Amino acid sequence: MLKIGSHVSMSGGLLGAAKEAYSYGANTFMIYTGAPQNTKRSPLEKLKIKEGKAFMEAYGLSDIVIHAPYIINLASCKEDTYQLAKEFLALEIERTTALGSDYLVLHPGSFTTETLEYGTERIIAGLNEVLTEDTKPCICLETMAGKGSEIGRCFEELKAIIDGVKYSDKVGVCVDTCHLHDSGYDIIENFDHVIEEFDRIIGLDKLKVFHINGSLNIRGARKDRHANLGATEENPKGKDQIGRDALYRIVHHPKVQGRPFILETPWLDKKTNLYKEEIAFLKGE
């Protein structure tokens, strides 16, 4: 069975998130445990975890994904930023475990004024400090678009991190279709080759989560601008450069089944998104 959902709000705790996902026709979903731009977090006892898990069990939602906040930068050369990244990642691992998720998606980090090698070593050192043999969720390093000095723009960069982590079994990959496209991979005409390359370099066993997004950019632009899944009746001005057909083929590719597929496509306005329509399309309904 296809595991498909979207990013949903945690304003109503896990129960509210599960209900929102269910309203879109989803059977999985992704949440942030708090605002992605800051360290403010509600206590776990206020997140309606028990009620949320009961709703999920009753309505067939599972394999949920947690996304770590953007402010975690394990590649930073600034010591205070680096210490915050390690401490906050450890906290997010605790919260991910409490929420019952096996996946914590993490942007690897940006080396800013240093070098790729420096940033990679910092990420490895930080993960080695935070991860233990008892860590339950898998840290899913996200494929990145390649803008600025961010790390993770190619499979080799992610492989270098994974190889350096002591508990490498606790580290996997989240593939973002917009980011892959923007970093230069041909996922439109040659996804077979891309997934074969991933398997050769990293290994399909490390592929844990997909982010399904269109892109406003041409391939290789390195800009990271998400788009809805092509032009539709609801969104006739859709400017997705990847295309609905290509994204449908990716979601249904035989080599990537069994992973959660999570939409992060833009909202049309503050109150309107296309998650229900996009989920239905990807399900073939």
Side-chain angles (χ1 to χ4, degrees):
M1 180 178 64
L2 183 67
K3 299 176 184 177
I4 184 76
S6 67
H7 168 233
V8 294
S9 171
M10 269 289 278
S11 60
L14 185 61
L15 177 60
K19 287 182 175 181
E20 181 183 347
Y22 184 72
S23 75
Y24 299 146
N27 55 16
T28 188
F29 56 90
M30 184 179 77
I31 51 177
Y32 293 83
T33 75
Q37 303 90 354
N38 61 52
T39 59
K40 295 179 180 179
R41 292 292 181 271
S42 296
L44 287 171
E45 55 268 23
K46 293 186 177 182
L47 297 185
K48 300 181 181 178
I49 295 174
K50 182 178 179 180
E51 298 92 330
K53 289 181 178 179
F55 184 93
M56 290 168 58
E57 177 69 22
Y59 291 93
L61 293 105
S62 63
D63 265 14
I64 66 171
V65 179
I66 311 299
H67 201 307
Y70 306 139
I71 58 173
I72 293 179
N73 183 8
L74 286 175
S76 179
C77 58
K78 297 180 179 180
E79 200 57 36
D80 56 344
T81 301
Y82 188 58
Q83 290 300 323
L84 171 65
K86 291 186 292 184
E87 293 169 4
F88 208 42
L89 177 59
L91 176 63
E92 288 294 289
I93 289 173
E94 291 180 9
R95 292 168 71 83
T96 300
T97 302
L99 286 160
S101 173
D102 293 327
Y103 316 105
L104 177 59
V105 174
L106 175 69
H107 290 186
S110 297
F111 56 83
T112 59
T113 59
E114 293 292 337
T115 65
L116 171 62
E117 292 73 21
Y118 174 92
T120 301
E121 290 174 1
R122 293 281 270 187
I123 295 169
I124 292 170
L127 290 173
N128 278 334
E129 187 171 331
V130 172
L131 298 179
T132 73
E133 62 179 341
D134 296 323
T135 299
K136 292 184 178 180
C138 178
I139 306 301
C140 302
L141 303 174
E142 187 167 343
T143 58
M144 304 305 291
K147 67 181 188 298
S149 63
E150 64 186 13
I151 299 173
R153 60 192 169 182
C154 63
F155 300 152
E156 289 84 358
E157 291 182 2
L158 296 176
K159 171 69 169 173
I161 297 170
I162 295 169
D163 284 350
V165 176
K166 179 180 179 181
Y167 297 107
S168 59
D169 60 312
K170 312 291 185 182
V171 183
V173 175
C174 170
V175 167
D176 185 302
T177 55
C178 172
H179 298 173
L180 277 189
H181 171 82
D182 282 22
S183 68
Y185 288 95
D186 184 3
I187 64 172
I188 301 173
E189 302 293 341
N190 210 355
F191 185 70
D192 282 339
H193 174 75
V194 172
I195 206 65
E196 288 169 5
E197 185 176 351
F198 183 98
D199 192 22
R200 175 176 56 82
I201 295 171
I202 298 177
L204 279 176
D205 61 309
K206 290 293 186 183
L207 178 48
K208 305 298 184 180
V209 177
F210 267 91
H211 284 169
I212 301 298
N213 301 298
S215 173
L216 292 177
N217 308 302
I218 60 171
R219 180 161 66 94
R222 295 189 175 186
K223 289 184 178 180
D224 186 10
R225 296 173 65 207
H226 294 194
N228 293 102
L229 310 188
T232 65
E233 183 177 341
E234 297 84 3
N235 185 29
K237 295 183 179 180
K239 298 179 180 179
D240 174 23
Q241 298 298 308
I242 298 174
R244 290 161 64 87
D245 292 343
L247 291 168
Y248 184 91
R249 289 195 299 271
I250 289 171
V251 167
H252 292 275
H253 195 283
K255 288 190 176 181
V256 301
Q257 296 309 296
R259 284 84 172 175
F261 292 91
I262 303 295
L263 287 157
E264 297 179 306
T265 50
W267 285 50
L268 301 184
D269 54 52
K270 291 183 179 180
K271 295 183 179 181
T272 309
N273 63 56
L274 295 178
Y275 289 151
K276 186 173 184 178
E277 292 81 2
E278 290 173 335
I279 288 170
F281 167 74
L282 292 172
K283 288 166 68 176
E285 295 178 348

